[in-house]
Structure formats: C-alpha cells, structure tokens
Amino acid sequence: MAEPKEDSFLDDIEEAAAEEQEYSGGEISDEAAELDALRAERDALQDKFMRALADAENARKRSEKDRREAENYGGSKLARDMLPVHDNLKRALDTVTEDQRAGSAALFEGIELTLRELRNVFAKHGITVIDPQVGDRFDPQHHEAMFEAPLPGTKAGEIIQVSAQGFMLHDRILRPAQVGVSSNRD
C-alpha cells in the first residue's frame, strides 16, 4: 500500500508559511520605511509652510510701516525747502517799523496773512514750530548752538539769543532751533 505523505505535506505548509512570513515581513518593513519617509517629508513641508507664513506676515508689517512712514515723512524734503520762506516772511514782519506799517498797512497785512496761512498748512501736515525763548535751557535734541558766550546774570547752558526757530515733522526734527548759549561757569 501506499505510504501516507502527510509528513512532506506538513513540511511544505511550514515552508510556505515561513516564506509568506518572510515576504510579508519585508513588505511591512518597506511600508514602514516609506511611511517614515512620508512623515519626514510632511514635517519638512509643514516647517517650510510655517516659515513662509511668518515671512509673509513680516513683509506685511514691514510694508505697513513703510507706508505709514512715507505718509508721515514723505514730504519732509518739500517741508525743509519751505522753511526759508517762513523765515523770510517772519523776518520781514519783525523788521517793520510802526511808520512803515502805517504807510503800507495793506501790504503788511497781506504778509501777515500769508505767514498765517503757511503756518496753517504746516500744522495740517504735522509740522510744528520749535520756539525757544531767552532764558530757556539748551536742549541739544531740539536746539543747535550757533555760538557760546559769557553773559552776566545767566547760567551756563541757558539760551541767550534765538537766531532762528526750529521745526519738527511729527516726531522728527526738520531743523533745530538756532540759538546762542551762555557759557558762564557757576
């Protein structure tokens, strides 16, 4: 009679199972490696995306700041060029005598109105006058010392003469006030 072939059949099943386990184990490790690579790529792309978002936000803030500065300070060159006009109109009015004023009242009234209108335009655009007075303390942030001289009855660092008014555009100096300063030593 025939001998049973059960032993070889079982060996074949065990070999097939071992082969299948080997094959599927290799497949799982390949899938795990691919999954790890995809996760790393996702993390890298997410990092790049977050950096790009931060860069875009910084660019937006920077452009907004630049826009505000251009709006506030864009006309500073024109404003600086207009300061001598203000100075000359003021000087013209300061040198007029009462006799001259009485003889040409309309002319001097026109000069006063022109100066007033120029100051209104300055104020409208954020330009303010720095108007130091004799006796005020010298401030190097707002004043430019044109000369220094000892003057009896004054303290060192006091303004003893104002040569020209200064001007500010918002919070920036257009031109410092030009002053003379006492050099008395206490």
Side-chain angles (χ1 to χ4, degrees):
M1 287 213 277
E3 290 184 22
K5 295 183 180 180
E6 291 181 23
D7 287 340
S8 69
F9 176 71
L10 287 177
D11 287 339
D12 289 340
I13 290 178
E14 287 174 359
E15 281 178 25
E19 283 178 14
E20 186 178 333
Q21 191 173 12
E22 249 182 58
Y23 176 73
S24 66
E27 191 177 290
I28 289 175
S29 71
D30 286 346
E31 286 176 1
E34 186 179 344
L35 190 58
D36 288 342
L38 288 173
R39 283 184 182 137
E41 184 179 357
R42 178 203 62 200
D43 292 344
L45 290 174
Q46 186 176 17
D47 183 56
K48 283 182 181 178
F49 175 73
M50 295 305 285
R51 288 177 190 273
L53 252 154
D55 285 346
E57 181 64 17
N58 289 340
R60 185 192 65 76
K61 287 178 183 177
R62 195 171 32 255
S63 69
E64 177 65 22
K65 180 184 174 215
D66 290 347
R67 185 196 62 77
R68 275 194 317 271
E69 283 191 4
E71 185 178 298
N72 286 337
Y73 306 112
S76 64
K77 187 173 181 176
L78 174 65
R80 232 178 247 112
D81 291 344
M82 292 298 295
L83 298 182
V85 174
H86 177 275
D87 294 341
N88 290 333
L89 288 172
K90 189 169 179 332
R91 259 187 237 111
L93 290 174
D94 290 346
T95 59
V96 174
T97 65
E98 287 301 320
D99 292 338
Q100 291 171 331
R101 189 175 291 273
S104 302
L107 173 66
F108 293 111
E109 185 179 341
I111 294 172
E112 286 173 344
L113 290 173
T114 304
L115 181 60
R116 191 174 314 133
E117 184 61 27
L118 182 60
R119 286 180 180 161
N120 288 339
V121 170
F122 280 178
K124 179 180 173 183
H125 292 280
I127 299 171
T128 55
V129 176
I130 301 171
D131 192 17
Q133 302 298 313
V134 172
D136 287 352
R137 193 90 184 127
F138 176 76
D139 179 3
Q141 298 293 324
H142 295 103
H143 307 138
E144 178 181 5
M146 301 306 289
F147 65 90
E148 194 174 27
L151 185 66
T154 61
K155 295 179 184 172
E158 278 185 10
I159 295 174
I160 56 175
Q161 181 182 346
V162 179
S163 302
Q165 293 175 323
F167 294 89
M168 291 188 72
L169 177 59
H170 299 290
D171 60 343
R172 292 185 184 170
I173 295 284
L174 276 176
R175 181 181 79 191
Q178 298 172 344
V179 297
V181 182
S182 173
S183 65
N184 279 352
R185 303 290 173 218
D186 297 325

